[in-house]
């Protein structure tokens, strides 16, 4: 039987968590944070997502709140009894003057798995965001599963970013070619949205041979990287974050 689960988070300006609801494999825990942030850690309570599962996390960062969301371990997509792909939806809203750091661990797509992941973010005009996504295609020594991810971000109701990526044996051809992964098995993105970028836009630049930072048409910048493994990918994205994030 396929699993259905939705976990929910709401953070307010006083540092409170008026809503913190775990569900199924998505266990939410308030953990210690440095500085002015409230921190929530997602702890996997069981193996998921499997084929056919439908998982979701909903997060509301209310006006003036500061929230950091991370995870205790990587998310491992596995094949299941159902031939249907698994789905993992993340739905986020960030209010006026609020700040969200969304920094989960890697998503690992094991051989034979099929996952569709969708992240949707709605930002108020004065909201700030740091969002990291990392995908690892296959565990060590095994071929990748199939993964389709879509990241849609709206600011003040207007589109800021809408990006879809597909990898693995059921993805369209060319995903492993020189124009996409170039033989690498780890890839990731770091999105930073800051109203301050409107006055001082981020300049496009390369980070080493396999990462690039690009300004977006709005007060935002997107870093995209590929790497041979998860550790190398994290090092690159951490370097980018240190250079981009003033908050």
């Amino acid at each position: 039987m396929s699993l259905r689960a939705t976990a929910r988070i709401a953070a307010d300006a006083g540092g409170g968590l008026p809503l913190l609801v775990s569900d199924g494999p998505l266990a939410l825990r308030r953990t210690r944070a440095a500085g002015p942030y409230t921190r929530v850690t997602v702890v996997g309570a069981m193996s998921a997502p499997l084929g056919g599962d439908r998982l979701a996390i909903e997060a509301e960062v209310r006006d003036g709140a500061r929230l950091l969301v991370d995870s205790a371990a990587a998310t491992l997509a596995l094949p299941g009894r159902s031939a249907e792909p698994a789905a993992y939806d993340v739905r986020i809203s960030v209010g006026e003057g609020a700040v969200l750091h969304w920094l989960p661990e890697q998503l690992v797509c094991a051989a034979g798995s099929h996952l569709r992941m969708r992240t949707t973010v709605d930002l108020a005009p004065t909201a700030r965001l740091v969002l990291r996504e990392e995908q690892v295609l296959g565990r060590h020594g095994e071929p990748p599963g199939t993964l389709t991810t879509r990241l849609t971000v709206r600011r003040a109701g207007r589109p800021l970013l809408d990006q879809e990526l597909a990898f693995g044996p059921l993805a369209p051809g060319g995903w492993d070619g020189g124009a996409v992964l170039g033989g690498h098995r780890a890839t990731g993105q770091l999105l930073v949205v800051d109203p301050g970028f409107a006055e001082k836009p981020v300049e496009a630049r390369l980070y080493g041979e396999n990462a690039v930072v690009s300004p977006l048409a709005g007060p935002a910048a997107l870093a995209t990287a590929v790497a041979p493994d998860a550790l190398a990918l994290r090092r690159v994205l951490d370097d980018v974050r240190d250079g981009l994030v003033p908050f």
Side-chain angles (χ1 to χ4, degrees):
M1 181 180 294
S2 298
L3 182 66
R4 303 289 189 274
T6 300
R8 295 179 173 87
I9 306 167
D12 62 26
L17 293 169
L19 185 66
L20 191 65
V21 178
S22 303
D23 193 11
L26 301 171
L28 306 179
R29 301 288 185 264
R30 181 168 187 160
T31 49
R32 183 177 298 177
Y37 289 88
T38 301
R39 180 182 176 190
V40 173
T41 299
V42 182
V43 180
M46 63 181 75
S47 294
L50 307 178
D53 287 351
R54 299 290 184 268
L55 307 181
I57 296 181
E58 298 177 351
E60 178 191 5
V61 189
R62 297 176 180 173
D63 293 356
R66 291 173 173 260
L67 178 66
L68 186 155
V69 178
D70 59 9
S71 58
T75 297
L76 179 60
L78 294 165
R81 294 182 180 180
S82 172
E84 292 294 315
Y88 195 163
D89 292 326
V90 177
R91 298 181 285 270
I92 299 169
S93 64
V94 187
E96 294 287 357
V99 183
L100 173 64
H101 288 241
W102 189 269
L103 302 171
E105 292 300 309
Q106 297 90 356
L107 170 62
V108 181
C109 293
S113 66
H114 189 181
L115 176 63
R116 295 174 179 169
M117 185 165 186
R118 176 73 186 264
T119 301
T120 305
V121 184
D122 284 287
L123 302 171
T126 57
R128 291 182 287 174
L129 172 71
V130 179
L131 183 146
R132 183 182 68 210
E133 292 188 333
E134 296 172 313
Q135 299 90 26
V136 179
L137 305 176
R139 293 169 292 190
H140 179 71
E142 73 175 9
T146 297
L147 172 65
T148 302
T149 71
R150 185 168 181 177
L151 173 60
T152 302
V153 182
R154 295 180 288 263
R155 179 176 179 267
R158 302 180 64 182
L160 179 68
L161 175 67
D162 196 350
Q163 172 179 278
E164 183 170 292
L165 304 171
F167 311 107
L170 300 180
W175 64 271
D176 200 22
V180 187
L181 292 184
H184 291 92
R185 283 294 177 265
T187 183
Q189 305 81 41
L190 181 78
L191 174 67
V192 181
V193 182
D194 183 357
F197 290 163
E199 296 182 2
K200 189 178 180 181
V202 172
E203 295 183 1
R205 61 167 296 184
L206 295 174
Y207 277 78
E209 297 180 355
N210 298 320
V212 63
V213 174
S214 302
L216 300 182
L222 178 68
T224 304
V226 296
D229 55 46
L231 181 59
L233 178 66
R234 177 63 59 83
R235 286 172 176 164
V236 171
L237 292 181
D238 280 352
D239 285 346
V240 174
R241 187 176 61 163
D242 290 345
L244 277 184
V245 180
F247 52 89

